[in-house]
Amino acid sequence: MANLGIRYATALFDISQESGLLDDYFEQAQFVRDHIQCDDVQNILKHPRITSDEKFAFLQKTFGEHIHQDLLGFMRLVIFKNREAFLLPALNKLVEMIKTHKRQTTAKVVSAVPLTDAQAAQLTALLVKKLNKKVDVTVLVDPSVIAGISIHVDGYFLDRTVRTMLKDMKENLKGE
């Protein structure tokens, strides 16, 4: 059952490629995913006393004019098979599959202070060169790192923050 979200995403990916609507599906899947993540929508989708018809009517009213009929049909299938729990994972996987196909990725960068536009552009250019992909950089500010940055991208993690260096130094001194 755990692979069901992947199977749904794969089917949607194949449909989007065959129909030549990969970019549309990408934008629409992100749009739906971002809106159904909120607790209010999740409560509606997972509520046992709300019927499948009511759940689908809610989704149709919310997204029907904004998304392709295949995506709406997918949501209908998920709802009427009582597999609401697979909706969000399938959309996440679809977005991931399209990003991979389009050679795109997202890098999460944590720094103690906001990066300047020039620093963000330089970091983005470096990541694009190293990864040979289009990279969207998301910068999070966390003063507790003291200084430096950490970068998480495509399963790799580089941490050059002062907080981590101090922690490592402390552990090395304890070991001696």
Side-chain angles (χ1 to χ4, degrees), residues 96-131:
E96 178 187 319
M97 291 171 77
I98 294 173
K99 275 186 166 185
T100 300
H101 179 77
K102 294 173 70 171
R103 302 202 47 75
Q104 293 180 352
T105 192
T106 301
K108 178 182 165 191
V109 176
V110 178
S111 84
V113 295
L115 299 181
T116 65
D117 290 342
Q119 290 171 323
Q122 186 178 17
L123 179 60
T124 301
L126 177 68
L127 290 171
V128 165
K129 183 178 176 184
K130 291 287 184 188
L131 298 171

Side-chain angles (χ1 to χ4, degrees), residues 56-112:
F56 181 66
F58 166 75
L59 291 175
Q60 191 171 26
K61 183 177 180 182
T62 305
F63 302 111
E65 294 179 14
H66 307 287
I67 64 172
H68 194 274
Q69 289 302 308
D70 291 337
L71 282 174
L72 193 60
F74 155 70
M75 291 193 293
R76 183 182 189 287
L77 174 72
V78 168
I79 297 298
F80 281 94
K81 291 212 174 241
N82 296 316
R83 294 180 176 158
E84 294 88 343
F86 293 101
L87 185 57
L88 196 53
L91 291 170
N92 283 328
K93 185 65 179 172
L94 176 62
V95 168
E96 178 187 319
M97 291 171 77
I98 294 173
K99 275 186 166 185
T100 300
H101 179 77
K102 294 173 70 171
R103 302 202 47 75
Q104 293 180 352
T105 192
T106 301
K108 178 182 165 191
V109 176
V110 178
S111 84

Side-chain angles (χ1 to χ4, degrees), residues 1 3 5 20 50 67 74 103 107-109 152 163 172:
M1 246 339 205
N3 291 330
I50 298 176
I67 64 172
F74 155 70
R103 302 202 47 75
K108 178 182 165 191
V109 176
H152 187 90
R163 176 180 62 192
N172 286 336

